[in-house]
Amino acid sequence: MTASADDGGSGEGTGGTGRRARVVLVDDHRMFRTGVRAEIGRTEQTGVEVVGEAADVDQAVAVITAARPEVVLLDVHLPGGGGVEVLRRCASLMALADSPVRFLALSVSDAAEDVIGVIRGGARGYVTKTITGVDLVDSIFRVQEGDAVFSPRLAGFVLDAFASTDAPPVDEDLDRLTQREREVLRLIARGYAYKEIAKQLFISVKTVESHVSAVLRKLQLSNRHELTRWATARRLV
């Protein structure tokens, strides 16, 4: 876990190192998005290319799905369900093995419940809007590389929250499934058709059918209705 300073700092970005990151900005304040784009989107200097913007949940999911950025800068409070809803609807993109989309929360809020909510939802880090442009660029690259990045005070919230939570019991049935099979399971349980799942996960319908067959076999279930009940009972939906 890496802490990123929220104040001070100046100088050039990291574009000179050869690092590059494609980024989507998600925030419901247009002027803030404009300011962030101006600050970090000078690709030759920073290495960051802003490839899309969104102001609410539906726009965010559409833009992220179309642009497939390396990193999404995500506000916590958005029309349509908030940052947690964006994370939920982009779960399949975060789970991609080859080029996962990673999320970095960028919010004015420093409330513990907001921090914990988006981290549990799958975000790789959380920084507040007092962060400098240089530090934000550095945080983007760290998240792109798989690090967890937090403003110093917020890191304590996360450590405390997870330290105080008992480890979940091992589910031997669920452990039999591969990561991809779990993704298919969740989408089936949410009522997606095979074609919709194929589109979401960027795989063929035949591959979806193979995964469903494997899940049913491993869990000793007969059909998708039993599968849905199984997943709902375990709160996987």
Side-chain angles (χ1 to χ4, degrees):
M1 183 181 302
T2 303
S4 172
D6 264 11
D7 57 316
S10 60
E12 295 301 318
T14 56
T17 67
R19 295 193 295 180
R20 292 290 185 270
R22 299 170 68 256
V23 172
V24 164
L25 307 177
V26 180
D27 193 287
D28 61 339
H29 293 96
R30 182 179 60 82
M31 289 184 65
F32 178 76
R33 296 198 310 272
T34 300
V36 173
R37 179 187 281 267
E39 183 73 21
I40 71 172
R42 296 169 286 111
T43 308
E44 291 302 314
Q45 287 76 40
T46 65
V48 173
E49 178 187 5
V50 178
V51 296
E53 297 183 15
D56 60 35
V57 169
D58 287 341
Q59 286 180 13
V61 174
V63 171
I64 294 165
T65 302
R68 298 284 296 278
E70 281 89 27
V71 178
V72 177
L73 292 180
L74 179 68
D75 194 10
V76 174
H77 301 293
L78 294 167
V84 171
E85 178 64 12
V86 175
L87 291 164
R88 186 187 72 79
R89 290 169 60 179
C90 291
S92 61
L93 296 177
M94 288 189 282
L96 292 173
D98 295 333
S99 54
V101 176
R102 294 191 167 105
F103 288 77
L104 173 62
L106 174 62
S107 178
V108 68
S109 171
D110 61 0
E113 58 269 24
D114 287 335
V115 179
I116 301 307
V118 295
I119 297 305
R120 289 195 187 279
R124 295 292 304 175
Y126 195 117
V127 294
T128 60
K129 290 181 177 179
T130 56
I131 193 170
T132 66
V134 171
D135 283 341
L136 181 56
V137 168
D138 183 64
S139 297
I140 288 169
F141 285 117
R142 288 180 182 275
V143 166
Q144 180 190 22
E145 293 162 3
D147 287 348
V149 180
F150 299 90
S151 300
R153 192 169 76 88
L154 305 187
F157 293 158
V158 178
L159 290 172
D160 290 345
F162 285 92
S164 64
T165 302
D166 293 333
V170 175
D171 189 324
E172 294 182 359
D173 289 333
L174 190 61
D175 282 350
R176 294 191 185 102
L177 306 182
T178 66
Q179 182 61 40
R180 180 64 88 189
E181 288 168 351
R182 295 185 193 193
E183 294 167 14
V184 172
L185 164 66
R186 289 188 178 94
L187 293 173
I188 284 286
R190 291 172 185 168
Y192 283 71
Y194 286 3
K195 287 184 179 179
E196 294 172 322
I197 296 173
K199 184 177 180 180
Q200 284 266 344
L201 300 182
F202 303 96
I203 57 179
S204 69
V205 173
K206 186 174 182 180
T207 301
V208 174
E209 293 173 348
S210 297
H211 285 314
V212 172
S213 296
V215 170
L216 292 174
R217 183 181 70 256
K218 290 179 180 181
L219 299 181
Q220 299 183 353
L221 301 174
S222 300
N223 53 55
R224 65 181 297 162
H225 299 295
E226 290 184 1
L227 188 152
T228 298
R229 288 197 296 271
W230 187 92
T232 301
R234 286 162 174 77
R235 299 181 179 179
L236 299 176
V237 181

